[in-house]
Amino acid sequence: MKVRAKETKRPLRMIVANWKMHPDSVSEAKALFLASKKEAMRRKNVQTIIAAPFVYLAELHTRAVGARVSPIMLGAQDVSGEKGGTHTGEISAEMLAGVGVSHVIVGHSERRARGENDDIVAQKVSAALKKGLVVILCIGETARDTSGNYLSIIETQLRIAFATVPKAILKSVIIAYEPVWAISGGDGRGQTATSDDVHEMVIFIRKILTSMYTRPSAERVPILYGGSVGGENALVLMQQGMIDGFLVGGASLKPHLFGAILTATNEK
Ligand code: 13P
C-alpha cells in the first residue's frame, strides 16, 4: 500500500517520542500511549509523534484518533532499505504504512553503532520516502573537537542520506540533530548540548541543505534536537536553539516529564 506523503510544514512544532526498546508489554504500551496522547491533546501547537517498537504499532494505531489529522501520529524506529523478499527479520516501509505508520526514524545513532553506515541509511531514507512515509533522519557526531571535524561528519551524513532525494520530496523530511555524546543512558538525564551548540548546528544544517537544494526548500525542513531533553531545558533550547521541536528518549516514557516538554514546546 502506498500512502500519500504528508507535508511537513514549518513552523509547526513537533515532538517525537522515541520509546526505544520500551515498555516490556503490550498492555504497558497501550497505557503509555494513552497517557502521552492525553498530554499531547492539551498542547494544540505541537504535533506529537510516538515512535514505538514494531510489535506495538498496529495495536497503537487503533488508539491514535483520526490518524493523519490528529495531534498524535505513529512512527517506527527503523525501516528496511529493501522492498520485500528474503530478508529475515526486516520490516519494509510498505508494511509500516499498511499498519498506519506515518513517520519513521532513520539512522539513529544506536542503529549506526550496530553497523549501519551512511549508505545503508541512504537506502532506508529512499525506501521510506517511496512509500510515502515521513523520514526523521538522525544525524550527530560522537564527540566535539576544537578543530571543527564534527561539522564535516554532519555534512557527510546529510549529503549521503539525501544524495538521491529530489527537492520535491524534501517536504517529507525532518532532521533530528542528536549529538551522540548528549544522549542519556535511558533516564533522560545526560549532558545536554547548549542552546548555542544547537543554534550553530541548525545554521550549519540549513547551509548544507541550501547548497544541495534551494534556500526556500532548505528553510522549510523542520530541525529537531535530541539528547537529554527534559522539562527544565526544553524552553531555552526551543527559544535560543532555533529548533522546531525535539526527539525525546528517556523522558518520553514518563508522561509527566513528557507533558512538561510539550508545554515548553507549545509555549515557545
Ligand atoms: P534521551 O532523551 O534519553 O537522551 O534520548 C535521546 C534519543 O536518543 C532520542 O532518539
Side-chain angles (χ1 to χ4, degrees):
M1 185 177 87
K2 187 175 185 339
V3 291
R4 210 158 48 86
K6 168 158 170 46
E7 196 161 329
T8 52
K9 293 192 200 114
R10 290 180 74 224
L12 179 69
R13 300 164 214 168
M14 57 183 79
I15 295 192
V16 183
N18 178 8
W19 286 359
K20 305 193 179 183
M21 203 166 71
H22 303 284
D24 292 335
S25 68
V26 69
S27 57
E28 288 170 283
K30 283 193 248 177
L32 179 59
F33 186 83
L34 290 177
S36 307
K37 186 169 118 180
K38 204 167 143 196
E39 297 290 343
M41 300 294 273
R42 289 167 39 207
R43 282 77 171 199
K44 301 286 180 209
N45 299 327
V46 185
Q47 170 75 69
T48 301
I49 297 130
I50 304 283
F54 288 135
V55 289
Y56 302 144
L57 291 169
E59 176 67 31
L60 297 183
H61 177 57
T62 61
R63 285 165 169 77
V65 277
R68 281 171 186 278
V69 290
S70 124
I72 196 155
M73 300 175 91
L74 211 51
Q77 298 172 13
D78 190 22
V79 63
S80 176
E82 305 289 344
K83 275 202 300 210
T86 52
H87 305 289
T88 303
E90 294 286 290
I91 307 280
S92 71
E94 181 151 17
M95 292 172 185
L96 293 176
V99 294
V101 167
S102 54
H103 291 64
V104 62
I105 296 173
V106 177
H108 193 281
S109 59
E110 288 157 11
R111 300 227 52 89
R112 292 182 192 257
R114 289 176 170 265
E116 197 168 296
N117 62 26
D118 287 327
D119 293 325
I120 297 173
V121 169
Q123 208 187 349
K124 292 183 172 192
V125 167
S126 166
L129 291 173
K130 277 192 187 125
K131 290 296 167 190
L133 297 175
V134 175
V135 166
I136 302 157
L137 174 73
C138 294
I139 55 173
E141 76 282 1
T142 46
R144 286 256 164 154
D145 57 287
T146 45
S147 42
N149 285 334
Y150 63 95
L151 293 173
S152 58
I153 291 166
I154 299 296
E155 175 166 1
T156 304
Q157 289 176 341
L158 279 173
R159 288 196 185 276
I160 298 180
F162 292 154
T164 62
V165 175
K167 192 175 82 175
I169 308 296
L170 205 59
K171 65 182 185 301
S172 294
V173 165
I174 297 165
I175 292 175
Y177 170 57
E178 287 209 320
V180 183
W181 49 268
I183 295 176
S184 82
D187 59 1
R189 296 187 171 276
Q191 182 197 348
T192 322
T194 66
S195 47
D196 283 350
D197 292 336
V198 174
H199 189 194
E200 176 204 51
M201 195 54 82
V202 168
I203 293 169
F204 183 73
I205 291 168
R206 293 212 192 283
K207 190 176 123 199
I208 301 301
L209 291 178
T210 300
S211 76
M212 295 178 73
Y213 298 96
T214 59
R215 194 181 173 125
S217 42
E219 287 294 331
R220 279 194 294 272
V221 175
I223 301 179
L224 314 182
Y225 166 76
S228 300
V229 177
E232 70 293 348
N233 57 19
L235 189 59
V236 71
L237 284 164
M238 273 305 280
Q239 286 175 337
Q240 295 170 20
M242 303 301 284
I243 45 171
D244 301 294
F246 297 106
L247 176 53
V248 185
S252 71
L253 302 171
K254 301 201 172 70
H256 67 286
L257 295 181
F258 193 53
I261 299 171
L262 277 159
T263 298
T265 310
N266 194 57
E267 282 171 7
K268 179 195 170 185

